[in-house]
Amino acid sequence: MNGIDCATKLNFTTASNLKSAGIDAVGRYLGNSWKGLTTDEVKAIHEAKLGLFLIYETNPTYAGYFSYDKGISDAQSATAEAEALGAPNGICIYFTVDYDAQPGDMGAIQEYFRGVRDGLSGKYLVGAYGSYQVMEALSGSPYPPDKYFQTYAWSRGQEFSAHIYQWSNDITIRGVVVDQDTMTGDAGLWEVKKMFENLVVYDGNDDGAAKLLAWKLGALLAHIDTVKPEHYDCAKNVYMVGGTTKPIERAILVSGGPGTGRIETMQAVLNL
């Protein structure tokens, strides 16, 4: 996948231009700074059909920045920002080591990322950005990150097996100054929701009526035990066939009612 990261705030036009230039995902910043991501920007990026990866950075440019306690506080700040933006749990937040870290710095950096993991409390994956030497040191620690984002800078030609690899800096693409990245599909991106029109779910013995309704609506069909919360989120309309309860509040119940059977439920489908 082709990606970029940038300090520039994007709108729908600039994000769409990047998409048309062959970019699949963009990295944008948390950290309550001038380059910080906004909810309007998240919407514009996703409307342009781009993936998004989150980078947390304040001033991690010297060895004294890093400690266990700083990792906790940065993770807590990042979590608050991500949640305010609507970022779903389980995606990755990349925390940066943005200088030429030396061997003597690695112990403090490892402790920082231990603090990051504890501070995130499992809500988001732990991502690390830095040089090859930083990637190596963190991968060998007792509490390694979940995802790796290597920069070619300070790496002295060595390349780590990272989820994101930043291979060029300060390039202009469609009027936006960016750093260029390549990435794997499992880099912990905040993906665009793939919306669909109708979802029909059923329970018990009402599979025949559910299949008929799915055919009538051109809908996806699933047994209720196989449906995950994110599936409901991606469906504009949800229909529950049979039973007396709805899986989510906005679902439309199609049933013969309490005490009825398959025939009454089928009739309710035919009447819809």
Side-chain angles (χ1 to χ4, degrees):
M1 295 174 64
N2 295 318
I4 61 97
D5 57 274
C6 65
T8 303
K9 292 181 185 291
L10 302 174
N11 55 38
F12 178 71
T13 299
T14 53
S16 297
N17 287 342
L18 289 170
K19 178 69 174 179
S20 66
I23 301 303
D24 301 303
V26 300
R28 290 286 293 113
Y29 287 87
L30 307 176
N32 288 312
S33 69
W34 61 270
K35 58 185 177 182
L37 184 63
T38 67
T39 52
D40 286 344
E41 189 179 359
V42 170
K43 181 180 179 182
I45 289 168
H46 282 163
E47 285 180 346
K49 309 302 182 189
L50 289 167
L52 174 62
F53 56 100
L54 302 181
I55 307 165
Y56 183 87
E57 182 171 284
T58 55
N59 189 33
T61 57
Y62 60 102
Y65 180 90
F66 297 93
S67 68
Y68 175 77
D69 288 344
K70 185 60 174 172
I72 288 180
S73 64
D74 279 359
Q76 290 172 341
S77 296
T79 297
E81 279 192 72
E83 290 179 337
L85 291 168
N89 289 351
I91 67 169
C92 188
I93 301 176
Y94 289 90
F95 296 78
T96 70
V97 181
D98 205 6
Y99 76 107
D100 188 8
Q102 300 300 300
D105 303 340
M106 297 305 174
I109 291 170
Q110 288 177 337
E111 280 298 292
Y112 172 84
F113 278 93
R114 181 168 72 92
V116 166
R117 181 170 297 281
D118 288 349
L120 290 178
S121 302
K123 292 182 179 180
Y124 297 101
L125 298 179
V126 178
Y129 167 93
S131 67
Y132 175 86
Q133 290 74 22
V134 170
M135 302 290 100
E136 278 284 296
L138 289 174
S139 68
S141 79
Y143 19 79
D146 300 302
K147 307 291 181 182
Y148 296 87
F149 180 2
Q150 184 198 349
T151 176
Y152 77 99
W154 316 300
S155 291
R156 299 170 179 85
Q158 295 178 289
E159 189 169 335
F160 189 79
S161 180
H163 300 87
I164 305 176
Y165 180 68
Q166 184 186 78
W167 56 273
S168 179
N169 296 119
D170 298 328
I171 301 299
T172 300
I173 299 178
R174 300 294 175 89
V176 181
V177 178
V178 305
D179 298 335
Q180 293 179 287
D181 310 311
T182 56
M183 62 190 63
T184 62
D186 62 343
L189 303 182
W190 184 353
E191 296 280 13
V192 182
K193 281 187 178 180
K194 296 176 173 63
M195 298 297 296
F196 53 91
E197 195 70 24
N198 298 308
L199 172 65
V200 172
V201 296
Y202 66 95
D203 197 2
N205 298 317
D206 294 307
D207 55 318
K211 288 176 182 177
L212 175 60
L213 182 58
W215 175 79
K216 287 177 67 176
L217 298 175
L220 294 177
L221 173 68
H223 190 278
I224 194 168
D225 289 344
T226 68
V227 183
K228 298 179 179 179
E230 55 264 34
H231 298 151
Y232 293 123
D233 291 342
C234 292
K236 293 182 180 178
N237 303 302
V238 177
Y239 296 85
M240 177 67 202
V241 176
T244 58
T245 60
K246 300 187 290 186
I248 58 173
E249 183 59 34
R250 66 182 179 87
I252 301 166
L253 184 62
V254 185
S255 172
T260 62
R262 286 181 292 175
I263 294 176
E264 289 80 8
T265 294
M266 180 65 78
Q267 188 62 53
V269 168
L270 292 171
N271 292 339
L272 190 68

